[in-house]
Amino acid sequence: MRPVPQMRLHGKLEYGDRAAPLRTCVGCRVRTVSSELLRLVVVEGVIVPDLRRRLPGRGASLHPSLSCLDLAERRRAFPRAFRVAVPLDVSRVREHLEELHSERNG
């Protein structure tokens, strides 16, 4: 049986029976369904993961992998994504991703 091709609908990807919003990972710059990405927001100069996707403020999306986090840091993508001129602390995001990685591997 052949897989059903995915169709794009004006910035959305048909995902299952319904269209889902697309977001771009700030690390690897790959566009994918927002449910596969981790939403990040800035709270008092610290980037924090928004697990419930409810925190106020400008959000940025990132694949939940340390490699994408490293790419985003190397590219200095976070100040651009959040439209701030000051350096941001990514330690909370790194801790969260390391915890996820350790749960999956052991």
Side-chain angles (χ1 to χ4, degrees), residues 4-5 12 15-16 19 21-23 26 41-42 55 60 79 82 86 96-97 103 106:
V4 176
K12 296 186 180 209
Y15 196 68
L22 291 176
R23 298 290 181 262
V26 295
V41 293
V42 175
L55 291 177
F82 292 114
V86 296
H96 176 74
L97 294 178
E103 286 175 3

mmCIF file of all heavy atoms in Angstrom, residues 4-5 12 15-16 19 21-23 26 41-42 55 60 79 82 86 96-97 103 106:
data_model
loop_
_atom_site.group_PDB
_atom_site.id
_atom_site.type_symbol
_atom_site.label_atom_id
_atom_site.label_comp_id
_atom_site.label_asym_id
_atom_site.label_seq_id
_atom_site.Cartn_x
_atom_site.Cartn_y
_atom_site.Cartn_z
ATOM 1 N N VAL A 4 0.096 7.961 1.771
ATOM 2 C CA VAL A 4 -0.673 9.107 1.291
ATOM 3 C C VAL A 4 0.244 10.324 1.279
ATOM 4 O O VAL A 4 0.899 10.618 2.276
ATOM 5 C CB VAL A 4 -1.884 9.366 2.217
ATOM 6 C CG1 VAL A 4 -2.628 10.604 1.785
ATOM 7 C CG2 VAL A 4 -2.783 8.149 2.241
ATOM 8 N N PRO A 5 0.344 11.046 0.163
ATOM 9 C CA PRO A 5 1.223 12.231 0.123
ATOM 10 C C PRO A 5 0.677 13.337 1.011
ATOM 11 O O PRO A 5 -0.533 13.501 1.162
ATOM 12 C CB PRO A 5 1.207 12.645 -1.344
ATOM 13 C CG PRO A 5 -0.052 12.074 -1.893
ATOM 14 C CD PRO A 5 -0.336 10.826 -1.105
ATOM 15 N N LYS A 12 0.337 25.477 6.290
ATOM 16 C CA LYS A 12 -0.048 24.372 7.165
ATOM 17 C C LYS A 12 0.236 23.070 6.430
ATOM 18 O O LYS A 12 0.265 23.026 5.211
ATOM 19 C CB LYS A 12 -1.517 24.448 7.536
ATOM 20 C CG LYS A 12 -1.835 25.681 8.340
ATOM 21 C CD LYS A 12 -3.244 25.681 8.819
ATOM 22 C CE LYS A 12 -3.474 26.939 9.606
ATOM 23 N NZ LYS A 12 -4.451 26.810 10.607
ATOM 24 N N TYR A 15 -1.903 16.844 8.241
ATOM 25 C CA TYR A 15 -1.302 15.921 9.190
ATOM 26 C C TYR A 15 -2.415 15.027 9.715
ATOM 27 O O TYR A 15 -3.192 15.427 10.561
ATOM 28 C CB TYR A 15 -0.661 16.738 10.320
ATOM 29 C CG TYR A 15 0.307 15.997 11.170
ATOM 30 C CD1 TYR A 15 1.521 15.575 10.650
ATOM 31 C CD2 TYR A 15 0.034 15.743 12.493
ATOM 32 C CE1 TYR A 15 2.432 14.918 11.443
ATOM 33 C CE2 TYR A 15 0.929 15.089 13.292
ATOM 34 C CZ TYR A 15 2.129 14.679 12.761
ATOM 35 O OH TYR A 15 3.039 14.024 13.551
ATOM 36 N N GLY A 16 -2.519 13.836 9.161
ATOM 37 C CA GLY A 16 -3.623 12.962 9.526
ATOM 38 C C GLY A 16 -4.873 13.442 8.837
ATOM 39 O O GLY A 16 -4.899 13.656 7.640
ATOM 40 N N ALA A 19 -5.406 19.782 9.067
ATOM 41 C CA ALA A 19 -4.228 20.609 8.835
ATOM 42 C C ALA A 19 -3.642 21.040 10.173
ATOM 43 O O ALA A 19 -4.372 21.334 11.121
ATOM 44 C CB ALA A 19 -4.598 21.819 8.010
ATOM 45 N N PRO A 21 -0.489 23.542 12.076
ATOM 46 C CA PRO A 21 0.395 24.678 11.801
ATOM 47 C C PRO A 21 1.854 24.250 11.711
ATOM 48 O O PRO A 21 2.293 23.345 12.424
ATOM 49 C CB PRO A 21 0.169 25.608 12.987
ATOM 50 C CG PRO A 21 -0.421 24.768 14.052
ATOM 51 C CD PRO A 21 -1.133 23.639 13.374
ATOM 52 N N LEU A 22 2.591 24.907 10.833
ATOM 53 C CA LEU A 22 4.014 24.650 10.663
ATOM 54 C C LEU A 22 4.816 25.674 11.445
ATOM 55 O O LEU A 22 4.429 26.835 11.554
ATOM 56 C CB LEU A 22 4.395 24.766 9.186
ATOM 57 C CG LEU A 22 3.869 23.706 8.250
ATOM 58 C CD1 LEU A 22 4.267 24.044 6.825
ATOM 59 C CD2 LEU A 22 4.389 22.352 8.635
ATOM 60 N N ARG A 23 5.945 25.254 11.974
ATOM 61 C CA ARG A 23 6.888 26.137 12.642
ATOM 62 C C ARG A 23 8.286 25.759 12.163
ATOM 63 O O ARG A 23 8.517 24.643 11.730
ATOM 64 C CB ARG A 23 6.824 26.002 14.170
ATOM 65 C CG ARG A 23 5.486 26.367 14.786
ATOM 66 C CD ARG A 23 5.237 27.863 14.706
ATOM 67 N NE ARG A 23 3.965 28.213 15.308
ATOM 68 C CZ ARG A 23 2.844 28.401 14.645
ATOM 69 N NH1 ARG A 23 2.809 28.248 13.339
ATOM 70 N NH2 ARG A 23 1.743 28.745 15.264
ATOM 71 N N VAL A 26 14.588 26.888 15.279
ATOM 72 C CA VAL A 26 15.597 27.941 15.246
ATOM 73 C C VAL A 26 17.006 27.372 15.146
ATOM 74 O O VAL A 26 17.936 28.082 14.804
ATOM 75 C CB VAL A 26 15.494 28.896 16.460
ATOM 76 C CG1 VAL A 26 14.202 29.672 16.433
ATOM 77 C CG2 VAL A 26 15.663 28.159 17.752
ATOM 78 N N VAL A 41 10.090 30.272 25.472
ATOM 79 C CA VAL A 41 9.786 31.686 25.714
ATOM 80 C C VAL A 41 10.850 32.248 26.646
ATOM 81 O O VAL A 41 11.549 31.504 27.335
ATOM 82 C CB VAL A 41 8.388 31.899 26.334
ATOM 83 C CG1 VAL A 41 7.294 31.521 25.377
ATOM 84 C CG2 VAL A 41 8.241 31.147 27.624
ATOM 85 N N VAL A 42 10.956 33.573 26.686
ATOM 86 C CA VAL A 42 11.905 34.245 27.567
ATOM 87 C C VAL A 42 11.161 34.739 28.798
ATOM 88 O O VAL A 42 10.143 35.424 28.692
ATOM 89 C CB VAL A 42 12.584 35.433 26.853
ATOM 90 C CG1 VAL A 42 13.476 36.200 27.814
ATOM 91 C CG2 VAL A 42 13.383 34.942 25.671
ATOM 92 N N LEU A 55 2.465 29.918 27.973
ATOM 93 C CA LEU A 55 3.124 31.085 28.553
ATOM 94 C C LEU A 55 3.000 32.282 27.618
ATOM 95 O O LEU A 55 3.050 32.132 26.398
ATOM 96 C CB LEU A 55 4.604 30.785 28.819
ATOM 97 C CG LEU A 55 4.904 29.785 29.928
ATOM 98 C CD1 LEU A 55 6.391 29.522 30.021
ATOM 99 C CD2 LEU A 55 4.381 30.294 31.251
ATOM 100 N N ALA A 60 9.596 30.792 20.412
ATOM 101 C CA ALA A 60 10.479 30.243 19.382
ATOM 102 C C ALA A 60 10.355 28.734 19.473
ATOM 103 O O ALA A 60 10.067 28.177 20.538
ATOM 104 C CB ALA A 60 11.914 30.684 19.608
ATOM 105 N N PRO A 79 18.640 35.439 20.237
ATOM 106 C CA PRO A 79 18.338 36.879 20.293
ATOM 107 C C PRO A 79 17.528 37.348 19.080
ATOM 108 O O PRO A 79 16.641 38.193 19.218
ATOM 109 C CB PRO A 79 19.717 37.532 20.324
ATOM 110 C CG PRO A 79 20.605 36.492 20.922
ATOM 111 C CD PRO A 79 20.067 35.179 20.424
ATOM 112 N N PHE A 82 13.804 35.968 19.442
ATOM 113 C CA PHE A 82 13.023 36.646 20.480
ATOM 114 C C PHE A 82 13.058 38.167 20.338
ATOM 115 O O PHE A 82 12.459 38.875 21.143
ATOM 116 C CB PHE A 82 13.522 36.246 21.867
ATOM 117 C CG PHE A 82 13.234 34.808 22.202
ATOM 118 C CD1 PHE A 82 14.259 33.902 22.363
ATOM 119 C CD2 PHE A 82 11.935 34.360 22.337
ATOM 120 C CE1 PHE A 82 13.999 32.575 22.669
ATOM 121 C CE2 PHE A 82 11.662 33.049 22.643
ATOM 122 C CZ PHE A 82 12.697 32.149 22.800
ATOM 123 N N VAL A 86 20.076 41.543 24.050
ATOM 124 C CA VAL A 86 20.946 41.059 25.126
ATOM 125 C C VAL A 86 21.145 39.555 25.007
ATOM 126 O O VAL A 86 20.285 38.844 24.481
ATOM 127 C CB VAL A 86 20.341 41.399 26.512
ATOM 128 C CG1 VAL A 86 20.279 42.898 26.706
ATOM 129 C CG2 VAL A 86 18.978 40.783 26.669
ATOM 130 N N HIS A 96 16.559 20.688 30.531
ATOM 131 C CA HIS A 96 15.353 19.970 30.122
ATOM 132 C C HIS A 96 15.673 18.941 29.035
ATOM 133 O O HIS A 96 15.223 17.792 29.111
ATOM 134 C CB HIS A 96 14.298 20.963 29.633
ATOM 135 C CG HIS A 96 13.066 20.311 29.109
ATOM 136 N ND1 HIS A 96 12.129 19.728 29.936
ATOM 137 C CD2 HIS A 96 12.621 20.109 27.844
ATOM 138 C CE1 HIS A 96 11.159 19.210 29.202
ATOM 139 N NE2 HIS A 96 11.440 19.434 27.923
ATOM 140 N N LEU A 97 16.460 19.336 28.037
ATOM 141 C CA LEU A 97 16.793 18.421 26.947
ATOM 142 C C LEU A 97 17.694 17.280 27.412
ATOM 143 O O LEU A 97 17.536 16.145 26.963
ATOM 144 C CB LEU A 97 17.444 19.185 25.794
ATOM 145 C CG LEU A 97 16.536 20.180 25.081
ATOM 146 C CD1 LEU A 97 17.302 20.914 24.000
ATOM 147 C CD2 LEU A 97 15.312 19.490 24.511
ATOM 148 N N GLU A 103 16.163 10.122 29.973
ATOM 149 C CA GLU A 103 14.977 9.287 30.142
ATOM 150 C C GLU A 103 14.817 8.331 28.973
ATOM 151 O O GLU A 103 14.404 7.187 29.145
ATOM 152 C CB GLU A 103 13.717 10.148 30.254
ATOM 153 C CG GLU A 103 13.586 10.856 31.564
ATOM 154 C CD GLU A 103 12.384 11.788 31.597
ATOM 155 O OE1 GLU A 103 11.629 11.834 30.596
ATOM 156 O OE2 GLU A 103 12.215 12.480 32.603
ATOM 157 N N GLY A 106 17.943 5.664 29.177
ATOM 158 C CA GLY A 106 18.297 4.845 30.304
ATOM 159 C C GLY A 106 17.410 4.881 31.438
ATOM 160 O O GLY A 106 17.245 4.247 32.312
#
